[in-house]
Amino acid sequence: MLTTAPDIEVLARFGRALADPIRCRLLLALREAPAYPSDLADALAISRTRLSNHLACLRDCGLVSAVPDGRRTRYELADQRLGHALDDLRAAVVAVEADRTCPDAERDGCC
């Protein structure tokens, strides 16, 4: 059970990272393979400046690592277990979305 402040802070950081659709897309792209910023910006169709801000956020959250590669920097998930966690989380959310049992979900948009 998560009861210590560090455990809760880690989950909160992960939640903040996932709260933005671009960061979600970045994490899913890096789940597939490490990549360079220019390739990520092209794949996500966003400016390099915007991408840089999101990568900085993910680095600060400890979810991605910047790996020097000659004169370039490659980004990858900080730990491959994050890829599995993303897969599990996505599967759980899709399953819950498909089985909306809350009677107020339609009206309140709560679940």
Side-chain angles (χ1 to χ4, degrees), residues 18-97:
L18 293 177
D20 185 274
I22 291 174
R23 289 193 295 269
C24 287
R25 292 171 57 203
L26 271 170
L27 288 170
L28 291 173
L30 293 174
R31 182 184 109 261
E32 297 297 323
Y36 297 100
S38 59
D39 298 330
L40 289 166
D42 291 343
L44 276 66
I46 61 172
S47 71
R48 290 185 187 183
T49 302
R50 195 167 179 201
L51 175 83
S52 178
N53 292 334
H54 287 290
L55 285 172
C57 175
L58 292 173
R59 274 194 325 269
D60 291 345
C61 288
L63 299 177
V64 301
S65 299
V67 180
D69 187 13
R71 293 176 25 186
R72 300 174 74 188
T73 300
R74 184 182 69 242
Y75 284 84
E76 58 189 38
L77 293 178
D79 187 309
Q80 290 307 309
R81 290 177 287 189
L82 289 169
H84 299 293
L86 288 167
D87 289 338
D88 291 344
L89 181 60
R90 186 170 50 175
V93 169
V94 167
V96 168
E97 179 69 19

